[in-house]
């Protein structure tokens, strides 16, 4: 009897550990392309582009221009009236995808519905959508998906599941009137939003959140899953009021789509597959070993802003991508197309420089992981294992003028070369690490890359568990 009990326990243990192994193996399999990709394009596009961050002749004071309806407390009817003019005749999704591809990006995440509640796709759950509500009358999601497929670009859907300022019952994060424009009725408006859970228009309150979820959010997610084929990512956002019951309802919809990768913002305790630091690069101490992706703007707004933009430099952006890869993360870099469908030239110019850099050095980004040497004085490093060897990439920002570069890893390297032209470099394996003789001028103005080869599989250096923080709402880039 005792023997029988022991064998049962053993069997149970084996199946549990097998299950765990299978789960993590299938998780790793699911994440494989995403980890390889390291670089994607985020697109924030919707009727907010028509406002361009301006209301009644005033610049929206705080935050991204996609929040204009909330920050400026634009009444639902007035915002809808503007949406009636949404006619993006210049929309050329293939040009967007080509731009992403030339920049070295491997996936695109598109705002199918942002907090303003407007569906960029044909929806039977809400007439407030691109096909039924605008003179343009075409499903822009469908066109983008087709373009992505044509160019072999993975695509993902951003969907604001609870925050919805148009469809009644949708949640609203309260923002004081002084973050919008100097409305003479600010005091009364602030008192109203305080008493009404953040909403500013009675039209937003004619249904409960449950009614909104069941009649809009759930059916729309179903539409997004069933219509466009192999979606790769679901990017949830601002999960106000999402209960476990709604997590279950959402996840039930995904049963037939096990390969879709979810971010960590669905809410209700659902962790998703990857974390989403926003507008910042986490320090090693802030990471906990789960996959992560920094989403970031090139300027100071997610949505199109007509004026008042503060642009990051191309050098800053390339360094950001390297920094993120060196910590084992992905970068999802945002563009905010204008109301006609054009990606602003300032975006394109910066992305072109990134693309040029990627053409020479993308091997040091794609599929790489963190390397052991944290924060070398001259820049960053990444590594990847290939055919039983390890390739370590040194991304040198501060090129040593004396022609001597020390990589402080105490492992013997077998070769060293400049990545862009394959030129061999001489080196010495010393007690302090690998000492490389480099040209006295930097081959690249932004970041030059040296590839070191090690004839063995170097250990992986996962980031230690330190932080269980989930996503926190950051609705505006730090100014
Ligand atoms: O409120 C949104 C914001 O507008 C933007 O969509 C970003 C992108 O990650 N997410 C929210 C803030 O965290």
């Amino acid at each position: 009897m005792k023997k029988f009990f022991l064998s049962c326990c053993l069997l149970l243990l084996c199946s549990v550990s097998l299950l765990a192994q299978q789960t993590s193996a299938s998780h790793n399999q699911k994440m494989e392309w995403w980890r390889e990709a390291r670089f994607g394009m985020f697109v924030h596009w919707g009727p907010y582009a028509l406002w361009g961050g301006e209301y009644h002749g005033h610049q929206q004071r705080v935050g991204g221009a996609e929040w204009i309806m909330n920050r400026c407390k634009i009444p639902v009817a007035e915002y809808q009236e503007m949406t009636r003019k949404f006619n993006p005749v210049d929309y050329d999704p293939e040009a967007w995808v080509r731009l992403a591809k030339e920049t070295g990006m491997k996936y695109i995440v598109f705002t199918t519905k942002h907090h303003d509640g407007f569906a960029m796709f044909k929806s039977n759950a809400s007439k407030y959508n691109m096909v039924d509500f605008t003179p343009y009358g075409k499903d822009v999601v469908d066109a983008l998906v087709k373009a992505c497929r044509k160019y072999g670009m993975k695509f993902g859907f951003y969907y604001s599941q609870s925050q919805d300022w148009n469809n009644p019952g949708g949640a609203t994060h309260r923002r004081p009137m002084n973050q919008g424009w100097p409305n003479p009725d600010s005091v009364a408006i602030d008192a109203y939003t305080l008493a009404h859970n953040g909403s500013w228009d009675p039209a937003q309150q004619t249904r409960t959140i449950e009614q909104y979820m069941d009649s809009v959010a759930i059916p729309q997610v179903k539409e997004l899953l069933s219509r466009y084929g192999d979606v790769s990512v679901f990017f949830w956002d601002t999960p106000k009021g999402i209960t476990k019951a709604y997590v279950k309802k959402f996840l039930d919809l995904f049963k037939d789509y096990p390969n879709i990768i979810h971010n960590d913002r669905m809410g209700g305790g659902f962790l998703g597959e990857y974390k989403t630091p926003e507008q910042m690069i986490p320090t090693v101490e802030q990471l906990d070993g789960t996959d992560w992706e920094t989403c970031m703007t090139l300027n100071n707004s997610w949505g199109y802003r007509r004026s008042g933009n503060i642009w990051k430099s191309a050098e800053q952006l390339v360094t950001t991508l390297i920094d993120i890869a060196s910590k084992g993360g992905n970068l999802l870099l945002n563009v905010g197309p204008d109301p006609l469908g054009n990606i602003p030239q300032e975006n394109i110019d910066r992305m072109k420089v990134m693309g040029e850099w990627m053409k020479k050095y993308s091997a040091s980004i794609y599929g790489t992981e963190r390397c052991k040497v944290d924060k070398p004085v001259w820049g960053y490093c990444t590594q990847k294992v290939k055919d039983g060897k390890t390739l370590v990439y040194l991304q040198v920002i501060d090129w040593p003028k004396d022609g001597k570069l020390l990589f402080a890893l105490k492992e013997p390297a077998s070769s060293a070369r400049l990545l862009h032209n394959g030129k061999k470099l001489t080196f010495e394996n010393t007690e302090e690490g690998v000492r490389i003789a480099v040209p006295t001028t930097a081959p690249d103005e932004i970041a030059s890359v040296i590839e070191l080869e090690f004839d063995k599989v170097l250990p992986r250096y996962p980031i230690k568990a330190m932080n269980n923080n989930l996503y926190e709402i950051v609705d505006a880039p730090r100014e």
Side-chain angles (χ1 to χ4, degrees):
M1 182 64 189
K2 198 173 163 197
K3 218 167 164 190
F4 174 73
F5 176 74
L6 278 175
S7 350
C8 284
C9 284
L10 202 66
L11 200 71
L12 190 72
L13 264 176
C14 286
S15 36
V16 167
S17 74
L18 196 70
L19 194 72
Q21 260 171 29
Q22 274 171 358
T23 315
S24 88
S26 64
H27 170 75
N28 284 334
Q29 211 170 22
K30 177 168 165 174
M31 299 304 290
E32 204 175 302
W33 74 264
W34 190 92
R35 291 174 186 157
E36 173 66 31
R38 288 285 173 251
F39 191 20
M41 179 161 100
F42 211 173
V43 184
H44 274 70
W45 196 39
Y48 39 83
L50 293 154
W51 301 88
E54 287 161 20
Y55 186 62
H56 280 324
H58 296 274
Q59 282 268 344
Q60 177 190 325
R61 281 180 170 160
V62 174
E66 72 290 351
W67 269 71
I68 192 157
M69 183 177 179
N70 184 330
R71 288 239 152 79
C72 290
K73 305 287 171 278
I74 305 177
V76 172
E78 187 183 340
Y79 195 89
Q80 287 189 356
E81 211 179 293
M82 180 67 116
T83 305
R84 291 270 183 218
K85 298 184 189 141
F86 199 11
N87 193 16
V89 289
D90 292 346
Y91 177 50
D92 179 356
E94 291 200 12
W96 291 10
V97 178
R98 279 196 301 271
L99 173 68
K101 214 172 162 120
E102 280 155 22
T103 310
M105 295 158 155
K106 297 285 190 184
Y107 58 108
I108 295 181
V109 177
F110 181 73
T111 47
T112 59
K113 185 193 84 158
H114 202 263
H115 311 328
D116 66 358
F118 182 75
M120 299 294 279
F121 54 99
K122 162 78 184 161
S123 173
N124 296 326
S126 164
K127 285 271 164 269
Y128 194 49
N129 72 70
M130 199 73 191
V131 178
D132 296 321
F133 209 84
T134 73
Y136 190 69
K138 281 176 275 183
D139 183 325
V140 296
V141 173
D142 185 52
L144 182 61
V145 164
K146 286 186 175 130
C148 284
R149 215 163 268 137
K150 177 169 171 188
Y151 288 93
M153 177 74 65
K154 299 254 183 203
F155 62 89
F157 291 156
Y158 168 107
Y159 184 82
S160 177
Q161 72 276 25
S162 69
Q163 229 184 159
D164 189 317
W165 307 324
N166 176 85
N167 293 296
T172 304
H173 281 268
R174 179 171 182 263
R175 292 289 181 271
M177 190 66 246
N178 66 9
Q179 294 188 358
W181 67 289
N183 188 326
D185 294 330
S186 290
V187 174
I189 290 170
D190 282 346
Y192 186 90
T193 57
L194 189 63
H196 294 87
N197 213 7
S199 71
W200 56 93
D201 184 332
Q204 296 165 320
Q205 301 146 27
T206 56
R207 283 178 159 192
T208 62
I209 178 107
E210 287 77 17
Q211 286 169 327
Y212 155 77
M213 293 295 289
D214 289 328
S215 66
V216 179
I218 300 278
Q220 285 193 336
V221 171
K222 216 184 219 166
E223 289 173 337
L224 287 171
L225 289 173
S226 60
R227 292 216 195 116
Y228 303 100
D230 46 356
V231 185
S232 298
V233 171
F234 237 83
F235 194 113
W236 308 93
D237 207 4
T238 65
K240 189 177 176 185
I242 297 290
T243 58
K244 289 207 181 313
Y246 278 104
V247 169
K248 184 171 176 337
K249 284 194 184 190
F250 280 130
L251 291 183
D252 280 348
L253 302 178
F254 284 82
K255 281 205 172 119
D256 292 334
Y257 308 94
N259 290 326
I260 296 181
I261 299 172
H262 298 261
N263 75 348
D264 59 343
R265 303 183 183 181
M266 186 194 283
F270 176 68
L271 300 180
E273 270 91 22
Y274 67 97
K275 293 195 174 190
T276 51
E278 187 161 313
Q279 300 287 21
M280 52 92 79
I281 306 173
T283 61
V284 166
E285 289 72 28
Q286 285 171 320
L287 295 166
D288 68 0
T290 31
D291 291 287
W292 62 279
E293 172 191 77
T294 282
C295 51
M296 193 176 267
T297 51
L298 281 95
N299 56 347
N300 45 345
S301 180
W302 297 98
Y304 172 73
R305 188 199 288 265
R306 203 166 294 121
S307 58
N309 286 295
I310 304 164
W311 294 95
K312 290 172 186 140
S313 70
E315 290 74 19
Q316 214 177 331
L317 293 163
V318 169
T319 311
T320 295
L321 175 63
I322 298 172
D323 191 356
I324 288 172
S326 80
K327 296 190 184 111
N330 283 16
L331 169 63
L332 188 65
L333 194 61
N334 183 70
V335 297
D338 72 14
L340 293 176
N342 300 298
I343 295 181
Q345 193 56 43
E346 292 90 338
N347 271 69
I348 297 175
D349 293 344
R350 284 157 182 79
M351 288 168 75
K352 282 222 159 105
V353 179
M354 295 185 89
E356 287 308 314
W357 188 88
M358 283 294 277
K359 269 184 202 109
K360 289 183 257 169
Y361 304 114
S362 64
S364 78
I365 301 292
Y366 296 143
T368 57
E369 295 186 321
R370 185 174 173 231
C371 91
K372 192 180 180 183
V373 182
D374 259 340
K375 303 186 197 115
V377 284
W378 34 258
Y380 303 89
C381 62
T382 55
Q383 71 176 45
K384 67 178 155 206
V385 171
K386 204 175 161 196
D387 307 327
K389 298 182 176 205
T390 306
L391 299 171
V392 175
Y393 298 96
L394 318 184
Q395 290 104 347
V396 188
I397 312 273
D398 291 323
W399 190 261
K401 292 191 183 60
D402 62 359
K404 291 178 195 160
L405 190 128
L406 170 69
F407 179 53
L409 182 74
K410 289 161 199 157
E411 294 280 355
S414 54
S415 84
R417 63 180 190 119
L418 290 171
L419 186 59
H420 68 288
N421 61 9
K423 195 171 172 285
K424 291 262 180 210
L425 298 173
T426 53
F427 64 96
E428 206 188 333
N429 292 315
T430 71
E431 298 263 293
E432 294 80 40
V434 188
R435 291 194 176 277
I436 312 162
V438 297
T440 45
T441 48
D444 194 278
E445 279 178 11
I446 304 179
S448 315
V449 183
I450 296 167
E451 184 186 72
L452 287 182
E453 197 173 284
F454 293 83
D455 284 338
K456 66 187 222 186
V457 174
L458 291 179
R460 302 177 67 194
Y461 304 101
I463 286 156
K464 288 171 243 105
M466 289 225 162
N467 172 351
N468 291 323
N469 283 352
L470 285 176
Y471 154 76
E472 272 171 47
I473 179 170
V474 189
D475 55 32
R478 297 200 176 115
E479 276 135 324

